[in-house]
Amino acid sequence: MSDNSMAIERKETFSHRLKKVLNSIKRYFSKPENIITVFFAIFLTLAVIYPLIKMVLGSFTVQSSGEARALKEEFENLNLKLKRGDLTILYWPYLLANKTTAGFSANFFWTPLYRSILMSLVACLISVGAGGIMAFLVTRTNIPFKKFISTVFIFPYIIPSWSLAMFWTNFFKNSHIAAAPGCGMLEEFFGVYTPQWLVFGFWPTAFVMGIHYTPFAYILIGGILRNMDANLEEAAIVLKASRFKILRRITLPIVAPAMISTILLVFAGSVSSYTVPFYLNRDGSFDAISIKLRAALTTGVRGTGYVIATILMVFSILILTINNWFTKSRRSFTTVSGKSGQISKIDLKWMKWVIATIVILIVVFFSIVPLLSFALESLESTPGDISTFTWNYWFSKNSVINDPYIESRFGVQVGVFHNKTIMASFGRSLLVSFIVALICGTFGILIGYAVSHNRRGKLASYIGTVSFLPYLIPALSFGAVFFALIKTKTFSFLDVTTTTSELSAMGIVIIVGGIKFIPFASRSGTNAMLQLSGEIEEAAIIVGTPWHKRMTRIIFPIQKASFMSGYLLPFISCMREYTLFTLVTSEKTLATNYLGYLQNFGADQLANAMNLLLVVLVVLINIGVNKLTGASIDKGIGG
């Protein structure tokens, strides 16, 4: 064969192979689920993985000339010549084993970390214990008022955690505690003086975090109990097994994965919580690791802050791994089977009224009384003195706060409904939360569609894992990721401290919130899509229905409630969030920012008024969406 013939044959072979590859690519991208999969694989890599890498690199990069001098002084025996931008591993020993400043490592890292871990374990015990008991009572007994209990019980999770911390101090503070001027409700109405350790410090922080996450445990454990195959319990009853033995040998092993997941997720959320430890640390008795992290990033050596954030992130990755290991054998999305639907409920007889009364009192105390507390505190000129009742903090057009520093920054502070700064912060919160919810909910549905149609593919598995990763990264650490990003020249236009524009802050909040809250929507969307039979869409494809019509006219209406939950949860979470945004916003960007600012400067009445407005707004939106669409956080649990 001549050289020309061989060249022609090679050219034809190459052309044939290229045509074959192009046809394969065309066939692959002819399916909408494949286009969505590739898009989100790229998007999530850039939005989640890249910022995480930038933050980790921040712990190995000299952040400023001042930090370079600090490292040189600490490691003077190394004769270093560091400058900003140089790579170094010295931030790690500087934080973890500092020898220049006595007690620096212990006081700034090890002791706060140990205390935060211990506090988180106590919070886990409270949330799983209380949430599990409540779930059992609602799903497995005949106590009355289940619908009311189930609806109101989730309020502490909808209410911001720091709102519960404010309620705690409003209720327990007294005139004998210097760190909390004024008297609380307990002293005002009953004359009871609580010790300082019950108002501020470790135990209040652990208890407030536990109460905040108790509804979370209730939702997870209650869902398992409600959907559990009743045949197992019925068989045990036929075999004359005692109720205690059924609980120990059947019920607890079945709910064990949900309990373990709850413990791990509550631990991850509590150990990095910033607002509750900060608010309940007025007496300086509980310096949590999150407080040290924020101090390092804003006022200290920023590189050490990235070290702490990286360590907390590693904690979260370990938690994700452990959680997957415990629950992998329990994964099932089957919602209809041949199991018995009749759940055998325990007859509490006359005790049901006693238990229901106790439960309702506890639920009302932590769900309704906080709102009354905020209202009362916003109507008293002198905290704790009902005789100083006034509507000024709500309706006055004159100054209600005599604080030159606040007035120099934000102008004269009038009543809430005439206060332009407060109204503007609420407006920004609503707008940002709506956009974040729109992004997260839509992305969640698309991710769910892609994962459900390509569930065996490696790329779909990748986007399923990466889309859930932001949930397990502590909020403050996740905020630190984007704090590191906006400090670079490329993204400096999003840094409110350099642009002094609230639009910059709103932009970065939308980005951070839109990525952080995707897990809520993606899990909701994925579960909803996996519940749908493939025959439904196949029938539409056969008659030639285009993809966008299949989504909007068939799939969405069928799973409307589940999809709306994917919009509702990010909205609620964004409205009440503070820890996630504290590093990338100013004092007035969002309602939560300004509320915290007023609280820190002693403007308790305005802060409580804002808190009440925020909580009522979030609760009303949750109830409204539930009535209109059927979407609800506790859907399917209540009696």
Side-chain angles (χ1 to χ4, degrees):
M1 186 180 292
S2 66
D3 291 343
N4 287 337
S5 298
M6 292 178 65
I8 292 171
E9 185 177 346
R10 282 197 299 269
K11 186 176 181 181
E12 289 178 349
T13 302
F14 175 77
S15 176
H16 176 72
R17 288 177 178 174
L18 179 61
K19 188 176 181 180
K20 190 175 180 180
V21 169
L22 291 175
N23 285 335
S24 297
I25 294 173
K26 185 178 179 180
R27 281 196 305 272
Y28 181 82
F29 284 106
S30 66
K31 297 180 179 180
E33 59 266 30
N34 293 336
I35 297 174
I36 296 169
T37 300
V38 172
F39 170 79
F40 278 105
I42 297 170
F43 171 77
L44 291 172
T45 299
L46 294 175
V48 179
I49 304 300
Y50 173 70
L52 287 178
I53 293 172
K54 289 291 291 182
M55 186 197 71
V56 174
L57 285 176
S59 68
F60 294 98
T61 307
V62 178
Q63 299 295 316
S64 66
S65 56
E67 294 183 30
R69 287 193 298 272
L71 292 175
K72 289 176 185 178
E73 291 173 5
E74 170 66 17
F75 303 99
E76 57 184 358
N77 58 317
L78 298 179
N79 194 25
L80 299 170
K81 295 182 178 179
L82 294 175
K83 63 181 185 299
R84 181 181 179 181
D86 286 351
L87 292 176
T88 180
I89 63 168
L90 297 181
Y91 280 121
W92 290 77
Y94 179 85
L95 175 67
L96 305 181
N98 193 301
K99 295 179 181 179
T100 302
T101 306
F104 176 84
S105 294
N107 295 331
F108 203 85
F109 180 75
W110 294 112
T111 300
L113 179 64
Y114 163 75
R115 289 178 177 174
S116 294
I117 290 173
L118 194 60
M119 179 273 293
S120 301
L121 292 175
V122 175
C124 289
L125 184 64
I126 293 169
S127 62
V128 173
I133 291 171
M134 192 66 70
F136 183 82
L137 288 173
V138 169
T139 60
R140 282 292 185 270
T141 72
N142 64 336
I143 64 167
F145 311 115
K146 288 183 181 181
K147 186 64 178 177
F148 171 80
I149 292 170
S150 184
T151 301
V152 178
F153 191 73
I154 65 168
F155 278 19
Y157 189 64
I158 296 175
I159 294 173
S161 57
W162 44 265
S163 292
L164 287 177
M166 285 182 68
F167 161 66
W168 188 271
T169 56
N170 286 346
F171 191 83
F172 289 107
K173 69 182 180 179
N174 56 76
S175 53
H176 290 183
I177 299 175
C183 66
M185 296 174 69
L186 199 60
E187 179 187 358
E188 183 178 0
F189 294 116
F190 303 103
V192 177
Y193 299 89
T194 54
Q196 184 163 308
W197 62 265
L198 189 60
V199 184
F200 298 112
F202 176 90
W203 290 107
T205 303
F207 199 81
V208 167
M209 293 306 305
I211 291 299
H212 177 63
Y213 283 112
T214 293
F216 183 70
Y218 166 74
I219 292 165
L220 288 182
I221 298 172
I224 297 293
L225 286 172
R226 185 174 180 84
N227 296 316
M228 194 176 80
D229 190 349
N231 283 324
L232 298 171
E233 292 181 334
E234 290 168 1
I237 292 171
V238 170
L239 295 172
K240 307 298 183 183
S242 66
R243 282 289 181 181
F244 177 75
K245 192 170 185 178
I246 294 172
L247 178 66
R248 182 171 57 88
R249 300 292 296 273
I250 297 176
T251 308
L252 285 178
I254 289 175
V255 301
M259 292 177 67
I260 292 166
S261 292
T262 303
I263 291 170
L264 295 172
L265 295 174
V266 171
F267 179 87
S270 299
V271 77
S272 65
S273 172
Y274 169 74
T275 50
V276 174
F278 176 76
Y279 187 79
L280 295 176
N281 189 43
R282 288 193 187 183
D283 62 348
S285 61
F286 181 58
D287 273 338
I289 190 66
S290 55
I291 296 175
K292 297 300 184 184
L293 169 57
R294 191 182 193 282
L297 289 174
T298 56
T299 60
V301 181
R302 207 161 71 210
T304 62
Y306 296 139
V307 173
I308 296 174
T310 301
I311 292 171
L312 290 178
M313 184 182 71
V314 171
F315 260 97
S316 298
I317 292 172
L318 288 175
I319 287 169
L320 173 62
T321 304
I322 295 170
N323 184 57
N324 287 342
W325 182 75
F326 269 112
T327 59
K328 63 183 177 182
S329 63
R330 296 281 181 169
R331 290 180 183 172
S332 174
F333 295 95
T334 301
T335 56
V336 179
S337 70
K339 69 183 182 182
S340 171
Q342 296 297 319
I343 299 172
S344 177
K345 296 186 178 181
I346 300 171
D347 184 5
L348 298 174
K349 299 180 180 178
W350 62 270
M351 282 294 293
K352 67 182 181 181
W353 298 104
V354 177
I355 294 174
T357 302
I358 294 171
V359 167
I360 288 173
L361 288 174
I362 293 172
V363 168
V364 167
F365 180 77
F366 287 107
S367 302
I368 306 300
V369 175
L371 304 185
L372 300 177
S373 162
F374 302 145
L376 190 63
E377 289 287 320
S378 69
L379 297 171
E380 296 174 338
S381 294
T382 303
D385 187 353
I386 195 69
S387 65
T388 60
F389 182 95
T390 178
W391 288 103
N392 287 345
Y393 297 101
W394 289 91
F395 300 105
S396 176
K397 294 182 179 180
N398 300 316
S399 179
V400 293
I401 293 178
N402 185 22
D403 190 311
Y405 184 77
I406 294 179
E407 291 186 357
S408 67
R409 292 179 64 84
F410 304 112
V412 174
Q413 294 301 296
V414 297
V416 169
F417 291 120
H418 297 286
N419 194 308
K420 293 182 180 180
T421 306
I422 291 176
M423 291 295 105
S425 68
F426 266 106
R428 284 190 287 266
S429 288
L430 283 169
L431 179 60
V432 165
S433 299
F434 177 78
I435 295 173
V436 167
L438 191 63
I439 292 170
C440 291
T442 304
F443 281 11
I445 293 171
L446 295 175
I447 290 172
Y449 184 87
V451 170
S452 64
H453 283 69
N454 293 312
R455 68 185 75 175
R456 295 180 182 177
K458 291 183 178 179
L459 206 57
S461 178
Y462 170 76
I463 68 173
T465 301
V466 175
S467 67
F468 189 62
L469 187 60
Y471 178 76
L472 288 181
I473 298 173
L476 200 60
S477 296
F478 199 79
V481 168
F482 290 88
F483 179 83
L485 205 63
I486 64 176
K487 293 300 177 184
T488 62
K489 289 183 179 180
T490 307
F491 297 97
S492 60
F493 67 95
L494 293 172
D495 187 357
V496 70
T497 60
T498 57
T499 63
T500 64
S501 170
E502 294 302 332
L503 288 177
S504 296
M506 289 174 67
I508 191 64
V509 165
I510 290 169
I511 293 170
V512 175
I515 297 169
K516 175 64 175 175
F517 301 131
I518 275 181
F520 296 142
S522 68
R523 283 304 161 106
S524 176
T526 301
N527 291 344
M529 288 294 183
L530 287 170
Q531 289 171 356
L532 285 174
S533 170
E535 296 171 355
I536 296 173
E537 192 174 4
E538 287 171 6
I541 293 172
I542 290 172
V543 298
T545 306
W547 178 78
H548 70 278
K549 287 188 176 180
R550 299 200 300 268
M551 289 295 294
T552 56
R553 296 187 180 182
I554 300 174
I555 294 175
F556 193 92
I558 292 174
Q559 292 291 59
K560 179 180 66 175
S562 295
F563 290 153
M564 287 306 299
S565 295
Y567 288 98
L568 177 63
L569 284 170
F571 181 88
I572 290 174
S573 299
C574 193
M575 276 296 294
R576 64 180 174 83
E577 185 58 56
Y578 178 74
T579 301
L580 179 65
F581 304 136
T582 183
L583 291 171
V584 296
T585 51
S586 73
E587 301 101 329
K588 62 179 180 179
T589 302
L590 306 175
T592 48
N593 291 110
Y594 198 51
L595 191 163
Y597 181 83
L598 291 173
Q599 187 71 44
N600 290 339
F601 279 89
D604 292 352
Q605 292 88 351
L606 284 183
N608 277 281
M610 287 187 69
N611 211 342
L612 179 62
L613 275 181
L614 182 65
V615 172
V616 169
L617 183 63
V618 169
V619 170
L620 288 178
I621 289 172
N622 180 57
I623 293 173
V625 172
N626 174 232
K627 294 296 182 183
L628 290 172
T629 67
S632 177
I633 295 175
D634 69 323
K635 186 70 174 176
I637 298 175

